[in-house]
């Protein structure tokens, strides 16, 4: 049982380039989330999904796009990378939105935009 | 306003001693949950402990306990008998029952705990 997996682990992008951060979970979770963690800060929500075909914005969605064509996959797309997008990106999932439901996190993707 | 406030950027504790990491929260939702996560230097987020707003007793998980004071809106993490492997960043987080972003967690800025021999 792999849980939540993310690829790549680390990436350097030039300003203006695009890339897709991959996230896959094998726990049949409905809810999936993308967070970013800036140095010395907590995690902020970028996008989330409540099921295949349903996505919505979090608190910091600008510069990103997502899709959810299957239950398992929730890729995050960066268009026209900017230095402000240098961060660590975490994908997370949970079975439901119930208060006590634990969110399981992937190992993170470190992105550096130069 | 910040949903979660962690006022201690860094804490130091000697091995085998107990340490308390502070967390205060802000919500008007009567139903909410509080979580603590550990982030070691390797970067992954590890779930430690959960406390529900209606739980009568403080949560405990092994050496971790959550000192929940609802009236003061605080949810401090207590680590007993600290070990060198406890050195990590610790995040307090909250989930509200209501709200437009379903199921999301609000995180504090974290506290860096260093355990010394």
């Amino acid at each position: 049982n792999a849980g939540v997996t993310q690829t790549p682990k680390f990436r350097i992008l030039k300003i203006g380039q695009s890339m897709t951060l991959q996230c896959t979970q094998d726990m049949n979770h409905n809810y999936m989330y993308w967070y970013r963690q800036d140095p010395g800060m907590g995690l902020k929500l970028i996008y989330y999904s409540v099921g295949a075909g349903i996505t919505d914005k979090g608190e910091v969605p600008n510069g990103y796009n997502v899709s959810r064509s299957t239950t398992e996959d929730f890729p995050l797309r960066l268009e026209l990378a900017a230095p402000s997008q240098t961060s660590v990106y975490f994908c997370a999932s949970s079975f439901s939105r119930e208060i006590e439901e634990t969110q399981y996190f992937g190992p993170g993707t470190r992105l550096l935009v130069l | 306003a910040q949903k979660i406030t962690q006022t201690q950027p860094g804490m130091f504790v000697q091995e085998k001693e107990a340490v308390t990491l502070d967390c205060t929260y802000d919500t008007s939702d009567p139903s909410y949950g509080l979580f603590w996560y550990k982030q070691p230097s390797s970067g992954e987020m590890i779930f430690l402990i959960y406390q529900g707003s209606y739980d009568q007793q403080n949560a405990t998980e092994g050496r971790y306990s959550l000192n929940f004071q609802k009236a003061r809106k605080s949810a401090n993490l207590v680590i007993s008998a600290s070990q060198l492997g406890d050195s990590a960043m610790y995040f307090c987080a909250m989930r509200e029952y209501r709200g437009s972003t379903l199921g999301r967690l609000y995180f504090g800025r974290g506290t860096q705990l260093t355990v010394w021999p």
Side-chain angles (χ1 to χ4, degrees):
Chain A
N1 191 343
V4 181
T5 57
Q6 291 182 239
T7 57
K9 285 192 170 67
F10 178 68
R11 182 77 182 267
I12 299 175
L13 278 184
K14 293 182 179 177
I15 294 172
Q17 286 186 321
S18 301
M19 75 165 292
T20 299
L21 282 67
Q22 301 291 346
C23 174
T24 300
Q25 53 88 12
D26 62 0
M27 297 174 281
N28 201 32
H29 284 173
N30 295 315
Y31 289 74
M32 295 188 74
Y33 307 86
W34 274 106
Y35 294 93
R36 60 177 284 174
Q37 182 183 23
D38 298 327
M41 305 291 285
L43 280 66
K44 293 187 177 178
L45 184 68
I46 306 171
Y47 270 95
Y48 70 101
S49 170
V50 303
I54 307 170
T55 63
D56 208 345
K57 297 176 181 178
E59 60 185 311
V60 288
N62 291 343
Y64 307 95
N65 271 305
V66 294
S67 59
R68 183 100 181 264
S69 56
T70 67
T71 300
E72 295 78 20
D73 299 309
F74 190 39
L76 178 72
R77 177 86 179 156
L78 276 71
E79 306 283 0
L80 298 174
S84 61
Q85 293 178 303
T86 293
S87 191
V88 180
Y89 292 83
F90 287 98
C91 179
S93 74
S94 63
F95 181 72
S96 75
R97 60 158 287 190
E98 294 302 317
I99 294 173
E100 68 275 11
E101 194 72 31
T102 301
Q103 274 189 20
Y104 296 88
F105 284 80
T109 294
R110 292 182 179 273
L111 176 66
L112 180 59
V113 182
L114 298 174
Chain B
Q2 291 270 13
K3 291 275 190 183
I4 296 287
T5 302
Q6 294 180 255
T7 57
Q8 306 155 316
M11 288 286 285
F12 294 84
V13 66
Q14 190 170 25
E15 203 177 5
K16 300 180 186 175
E17 297 293 310
V19 64
T20 297
L21 306 183
D22 294 342
C23 172
T24 57
Y25 58 92
D26 182 29
T27 181
S28 58
D29 194 331
S31 297
Y32 53 90
L34 297 154
F35 299 77
W36 278 91
Y37 282 85
K38 174 184 178 181
Q39 186 180 45
S41 57
S42 51
E44 72 269 29
M45 297 287 285
I46 302 167
F47 165 72
L48 294 178
I49 196 167
Y50 164 81
Q51 178 85 42
S53 60
Y54 292 118
D55 292 343
Q56 295 296 314
Q57 293 191 331
N58 288 342
T60 60
E61 289 285 349
R63 295 186 298 110
Y64 303 108
S65 61
L66 201 152
N67 184 359
F68 181 47
Q69 298 187 46
K70 195 169 182 177
R72 299 176 69 176
K73 293 191 174 180
S74 77
N76 299 339
L77 178 70
V78 180
I79 305 175
S80 62
S82 298
Q83 302 172 356
L84 296 177
D86 293 335
S87 292
M89 182 73 87
Y90 289 80
F91 290 97
C92 180
M94 176 177 67
R95 176 187 284 127
E96 296 170 313
Y97 185 74
R98 297 185 303 224
S100 60
T101 317
L102 301 179
R104 65 143 318 159
L105 290 170
Y106 294 92
F107 284 85
R109 292 191 173 193
T111 295
Q112 180 68 47
L113 176 67
T114 302
V115 182
W116 51 284

